[in-house]
Amino acid sequence: MHKEYLMGNEAMGLGAMAAGVNLVSGYPGTPSTEVLETIARHNVDKRIHVEWSTNEKTGLETAAGAAMTGARALVTMKQVGLNVATDPLMSLAYLGVEGGLVVLVADDPGPISSQTEQDTRTFARYAKLPCFDPTGVAEAYEMIQEAFAFSERYHTPVLFRPTTRVDHGYASVTVKDKDEWEPHASKGFVRDTKRWVIFPKLSFRAHGAIEARNANLTKVLSEYPRNEVLRGGETVSRGVVSHGVSWTYLRESIREFETAGHADTPRLMRVATPFPFPEEKAAAFLEGLDEVLVIEELDPVIERELTYLCGKYHLAVRIRGKLTGDIAAAGENTRDSVYAAVAAFMGWQTEKPAEHPMPPTEVVRPPVLCAGCPHRASFYAVKQAMKGQKCLFAGDIGCYTLGNAMPLDMVDTCLCMGAGLGMAQGVGAMDPETKCFAFVGDSTFFAAAIPGAVNGVYNQADMTLVVLDNSTTAMTGHQPHPGTGHTMMGESVTPVSIEDTLHGIGVHTVRTVNPLDLPRAIETVRETAAQPGVKAIVFRWPCIALVKPLGLANIDPEKCRDCKRCIREIGCPGLVTEKGKVVIDAAQCTGCGLCGAVCPFDAITVTKAPHGGEPKGGHRSCR
């Protein structure tokens, strides 16, 4: 054993390795991404099969196949990724597994980097699957090992639900040395059609078995040490229940209250397994109490369970929390919000915080595409080509969602990954006068856009698919995908061609163009959009994080008329004003030349850098 200072995602990755995981799959999504990357980085002997799957659904199906052989498998995703994986997971809950299968779903209260604030604990009840909820980094390392053992013991997938503050927090963690890792091996797939082939008769029988198992697990998990009760003051008639990182905030707050002289601290309960709920332990906790405050994020999962138990056991306990307005209905909890909620619940006076001078006003920096991002040029080319025409620009999830910002203003809709294609088809069917465009990134194309493209071809839609190919999965940290030519196992493979894929499904017009060649890009859009049916444009230029700068833009003061069209038209952060004059921010400029193409007076030129535009670190995808 030794100590390491780890991010929560690193701790969970190392914990899975210590548990003897044999296969790890997933799809990148903040805040979960580093779990799989940690395992890939430490998998020096290639003992573990590690892959970024095409999407969360295929990742889960791959992990399910491994678990059916008796292997231990981990699949990682964020909470919206669970929506994609729901179809196989619901059926897998009925089939069960042979080895351990942990489905790590990172929730994002806030939300900080997500479309939704959905709560995986609620999904656990819906899917009838056990759920583990760690409170911090060090516990996440230990708990994920327990989750594997639990999954294997009960032959069921289990959900593992860290949140952003656990995923991205840091702590000193005692971890096992490599020779202490639990050895585990696949037994091989054993054919058993009565077990592995889901039919209505099997499902009916499995459903009854699952209900009986979960009823038993409420007793089993009441004995699970991480579901704990801490006694408060001897005469106290109030209790506080929490979970996850909120439990850490609660314990810190209680210690501070005790230091301040409050002896009548409430009885505390921590719920580590929100489903199946540790009913017996919770019922014992409620005995003798008058009121209980539930501090949780995001849904009132525990609050509803305790309210139900009060009715079932005829307990005259008032349960307070989100449903009563004592805890905010949305958003993440903080150390300060938990402290204030407990103080108000207990009727404790808190010291008025010391007054400090007001800090300087924060500079507001809205999220924008990076200086030199090829997506800016792609959006601008489409905007110029379609100027004056009635258009729909359906967006998608990724860096290019930032195309909604002014002055580009090129994202009219954004629902979920791949949805823009279907939405463009729906608008086009109802409003044929509208020219419909659907934008997707290269990673999203493989993850979620192909079925939408097939649907458009099959149903004779009239739309233009725009693939923004920057040779990586940029927003989540530059992970490889099927089009990049390399895998997480370090293998060089033949890239899957976007153009060939589109041709193969029946898209006849597919044009590929460098978006930084603005005149050609604009003309390509005009010509392509004029074609009938489903047609596609692939704008291909690598993400600026993958290539060396092309050079540096320069403004000729003799030619510049201070019209500021470059700033008004493209909004590049490499263009700034000083004393009313447009200047180039040399720290940000990459020499892409888009501003020069926009300038009506030819006042902006680019000094080319030696070796400009070459890949950084030998990225094969950019060659």
Side-chain angles (χ1 to χ4, degrees):
M1 303 285 278
H2 64 282
K3 283 189 176 292
E4 291 190 37
Y5 188 64
L6 299 172
M7 178 197 285
N9 283 340
E10 293 174 321
M12 287 178 276
L14 290 178
M17 297 182 83
V21 70
N22 305 110
L23 179 142
V24 183
S25 58
Y27 188 79
T30 305
S32 70
T33 306
E34 296 87 357
V35 177
L36 187 146
E37 291 182 332
T38 296
I39 295 172
R41 190 169 63 248
H42 287 82
N43 187 34
V44 292
D45 57 4
K46 309 297 183 187
R47 178 183 62 81
I48 305 168
H49 176 83
V50 185
E51 69 171 53
W52 282 126
S53 305
T54 306
N55 60 23
E56 294 86 354
K57 179 179 185 292
T58 56
L60 177 60
E61 290 160 351
T62 300
M68 287 177 179
T69 72
R72 285 190 168 181
L74 172 70
V75 58
T76 69
M77 62 195 72
K78 66 185 296 180
Q79 86 282 12
V80 288
L82 183 58
N83 302 336
V84 181
T86 295
D87 189 10
L89 186 57
M90 295 299 291
S91 294
L92 190 62
Y94 278 51
L95 289 181
V97 292
E98 182 62 26
L101 174 57
V102 174
V103 183
L104 188 152
V105 183
D107 282 4
D108 188 23
I112 299 169
S113 58
S114 305
Q115 307 99 287
T116 69
E117 268 198 312
Q118 62 197 69
D119 190 331
T120 298
R121 297 177 306 150
T122 297
F123 184 90
R125 169 174 281 282
Y126 170 60
K128 306 182 188 300
L129 290 173
C131 181
F132 289 74
D133 192 0
T135 64
V137 175
E139 184 182 71
Y141 172 80
E142 299 171 352
M143 185 184 271
I144 198 168
Q145 298 175 60
E146 296 161 1
F148 273 109
F150 187 93
S151 171
E152 203 164 84
R153 183 181 309 124
Y154 292 98
H155 298 289
T156 180
V158 301
L159 292 163
F160 197 82
R161 187 246 188 189
T163 56
T164 301
R165 300 304 173 183
V166 175
D167 290 300
H168 290 167
Y170 279 82
S172 178
V173 183
T174 300
V175 300
K176 295 176 180 176
D177 297 325
K178 191 170 182 179
D179 59 7
E180 297 176 289
W181 291 357
E182 182 178 346
H184 199 85
S186 166
K187 303 170 186 176
F189 182 72
V190 178
R191 294 186 75 246
D192 185 351
T193 56
K194 293 181 180 179
R195 181 179 183 186
W196 301 128
V197 182
I198 192 163
F199 279 116
K201 186 176 181 180
L202 181 150
S203 299
F204 176 75
R205 185 173 66 249
H207 187 186
I210 288 170
E211 297 293 355
R213 179 201 70 197
N214 287 347
N216 179 60
L217 287 180
T218 63
K219 302 180 178 66
V220 172
L221 292 172
S222 288
E223 301 301 320
Y224 180 46
R226 299 191 191 279
N227 287 317
E228 57 182 320
V229 172
L230 303 178
R231 295 291 168 182
E234 292 184 5
T235 60
V236 72
S237 60
R238 294 182 179 182
V240 181
V241 182
S242 195
H243 72 113
V245 74
S246 297
W247 173 255
T248 303
Y249 300 153
L250 174 61
R251 294 298 307 279
E252 290 177 359
S253 299
I254 293 297
R255 282 194 292 269
E256 188 168 329
F257 286 128
E258 289 174 337
T259 301
H262 293 286
D264 56 337
T265 53
R267 190 184 302 173
L268 305 179
M269 180 177 178
R270 179 263 174 112
V271 177
T273 55
F275 186 83
F277 198 73
E279 181 177 315
E280 292 184 353
K281 178 155 285 187
F285 165 82
L286 292 170
E287 285 285 351
L289 296 179
D290 296 329
E291 283 189 306
V292 168
L293 176 68
V294 183
I295 301 174
E296 57 188 322
E297 54 182 28
L298 292 152
D299 294 342
V301 171
I302 300 172
E303 186 178 356
R304 288 189 174 115
E305 290 284 359
L306 294 181
T307 302
Y308 163 76
L309 289 182
C310 287
K312 180 177 180 178
Y313 290 88
H314 307 292
L315 301 172
V317 185
R318 184 188 179 201
I319 307 299
R320 295 166 58 179
K322 291 175 178 287
L323 298 176
T324 58
D326 293 271
I327 302 296
E332 65 175 341
N333 295 327
T334 65
R335 164 66 174 76
D336 290 344
S337 71
V338 171
Y339 181 92
V342 173
F345 175 66
M346 297 298 294
W348 290 335
Q349 295 295 318
T350 57
E351 293 184 9
K352 185 179 180 181
E355 293 188 6
H356 299 285
M358 290 296 293
T361 303
E362 293 182 0
V363 176
V364 178
R365 183 186 181 277
V368 295
L369 295 168
C370 300
C373 175
H375 298 339
R376 177 178 288 105
S378 300
F379 280 125
Y380 188 73
V382 176
K383 187 174 187 177
Q384 293 304 301
M386 305 309 294
K387 186 176 291 186
Q389 300 187 55
K390 184 181 180 184
C391 296
L392 168 79
F393 301 122
D396 213 289
I397 305 300
C399 290
Y400 39 92
T401 308
L402 301 176
N404 73 321
M406 299 298 288
L408 288 174
D409 191 24
M410 284 292 290
V411 177
D412 295 328
T413 68
C414 186
L415 180 63
C416 63
M417 290 186 70
L421 284 83
M423 297 177 80
Q425 292 167 42
V427 170
M430 295 295 101
D431 188 359
E433 299 303 312
T434 297
K435 291 283 189 179
C436 293
F437 289 76
F439 293 88
V440 296
D442 44 332
S443 182
T444 303
F445 174 80
F446 293 110
I450 295 173
V454 172
N455 190 73
V457 172
Y458 172 60
N459 288 296
Q460 302 296 291
D462 186 11
M463 60 168 284
T464 304
L465 171 61
V466 181
V467 182
L468 306 174
D469 183 0
N470 63 358
S471 302
T472 189
T473 312
M475 180 164 274
T476 51
H478 306 287
Q479 293 77 25
H481 61 66
T484 62
H486 55 277
T487 72
M488 285 302 281
M489 295 296 286
E491 300 164 331
S492 294
V493 298
T494 301
V496 179
S497 167
I498 294 173
E499 291 89 341
D500 288 352
T501 301
L502 288 168
H503 284 307
I505 63 175
V507 180
H508 301 301
T509 301
V510 181
R511 300 284 300 276
T512 302
V513 64
N514 177 357
L516 299 184
D517 184 350
L518 188 61
R520 182 165 171 254
I522 292 173
E523 186 58 30
T524 299
V525 175
R526 287 188 182 130
E527 292 175 354
T528 305
Q531 300 296 313
V534 178
K535 50 275 182 189
I537 303 166
V538 180
F539 283 117
R540 180 167 290 131
W541 188 257
C543 173
I544 60 164
L546 302 183
V547 291
K548 297 175 183 177
L550 292 166
L552 180 65
N554 306 280
I555 297 178
D556 185 340
E558 297 297 323
K559 293 183 177 181
C560 180
R561 298 293 183 268
D562 293 323
C563 67
K564 299 183 176 62
R565 180 177 177 181
C566 53
I567 290 178
R568 293 197 316 270
E569 292 281 302
I570 61 175
C572 176
L575 294 165
V576 296
T577 56
E578 289 182 2
K579 298 179 180 179
K581 299 282 187 180
V582 179
V583 298
I584 303 297
D585 183 347
Q588 296 201 64
C589 179
T590 65
C592 74
L594 181 61
C595 55
V598 169
C599 178
F601 304 109
D602 297 323
I604 306 176
T605 57
V606 175
T607 301
K608 295 294 183 181
H611 312 298
E614 289 190 358
K616 297 177 183 177
H619 278 271
R620 301 180 64 87
S621 58
C622 304
R623 294 198 183 278

